[in-house]
Amino acid sequence: METKGISRRTALLAPLLAAAFGAAATSARAQQTEGRALVAYVIRSGNARVIAGALSRQFNARLFEIRTAEPYPEDYEAHVSQARAEQDARATPKLAEHLEDLARFETVFLGSPVWDGTMPAPMRSFLTRHDLTGKTIAPFLTHGGLGTGGLLDTLAELAPAANFLPPFVLECDQERRTLDRLADWRDHAGPQFRF
């Protein structure tokens, strides 16, 4: 993915990383970005929400959670099954709401988990319904151990006229790994359970 706007990238990269690691914002930075920055994000288990909140505070940016009109199942296995079906179909599910005032934002912090090695369908819906031409995009991504997969390529494909900063990428606890470890524990300790 090609990045544009090197001088803007340099000016924004350091504060982005500082925000992601919990550094306090200066009032000058918050005043400088007030009303011109947006944090739009998709969540599955909440990791992106934590990062989004920190970025919103650091840059005095508006928060926008990208949600589908029909919520995903709470159950992990059912959620994964639906997400895979949507990815296979390259679906763009209907969103719960849209941004009517996207034009006023110069910088968009775009947050997403990596689902099965690619972009979640709700993010694909957001990008196909909102024009990010000329915006500076600062991606922040979470994954469960397999990296970003093809998500960044898809992002560049769906927002070809945006200026991209290098992404902030964070490996987070993987629900699948958690469930596997729980099953191992249950299988070893299970005979001791009394009901």
Side-chain angles (χ1 to χ4, degrees), residues 2-188:
E2 181 179 322
T3 59
K4 302 174 188 173
I6 299 300
S7 61
R8 288 196 82 181
R9 179 180 74 193
T10 303
L12 290 175
L13 184 57
L16 169 65
L17 294 175
F21 288 105
T26 64
S27 61
R29 173 58 70 184
Q31 289 172 357
Q32 184 180 20
T33 60
E34 184 173 8
R36 297 186 331 208
L38 170 72
V39 179
Y41 63 100
V42 173
I43 63 164
R44 161 62 194 129
S45 61
N47 295 312
R49 179 180 283 138
V50 171
I51 298 168
L55 289 170
S56 176
R57 288 186 300 276
Q58 174 77 23
F59 292 98
N60 197 18
R62 178 176 167 197
L63 276 174
F64 180 77
E65 183 179 339
I66 301 167
R67 296 175 294 110
T68 54
E70 183 68 32
Y72 281 88
E74 287 292 321
D75 177 74
Y76 175 76
E77 298 294 344
H79 184 110
V80 168
S81 178
Q82 180 178 331
R84 282 192 178 136
E86 289 174 343
Q87 287 171 356
D88 291 345
R90 293 197 49 90
T92 53
K94 183 178 178 184
L95 297 179
E97 64 180 304
H98 299 279
L99 283 169
E100 301 300 329
D101 60 347
L102 184 63
R104 75 182 185 98
F105 300 108
E106 295 176 12
T107 301
V108 179
F109 295 93
L110 205 55
S112 177
V114 179
W115 287 358
D116 206 22
T118 192
M119 179 180 288
M123 182 62 75
R124 192 178 314 106
S125 294
F126 178 84
L127 291 170
T128 58
R129 289 175 174 90
H130 295 89
D131 183 10
L132 299 178
T133 298
K135 306 285 185 207
T136 297
I137 307 299
F140 61 97
L141 309 173
T142 60
H143 66 87
L146 298 177
T148 62
L151 194 147
L152 292 170
D153 292 334
T154 304
L155 179 58
E157 177 185 309
L158 293 174
N163 303 310
F164 290 92
L165 298 179
F168 173 76
V169 180
L170 181 66
E171 180 179 350
C172 297
D173 186 33
Q174 184 185 44
E175 289 167 295
R176 168 64 54 211
R177 190 175 3 186
T178 300
L179 292 175
D180 289 346
R181 290 189 66 200
L182 179 62
D184 288 345
W185 171 77
R186 179 202 60 223
D187 292 345
H188 289 91

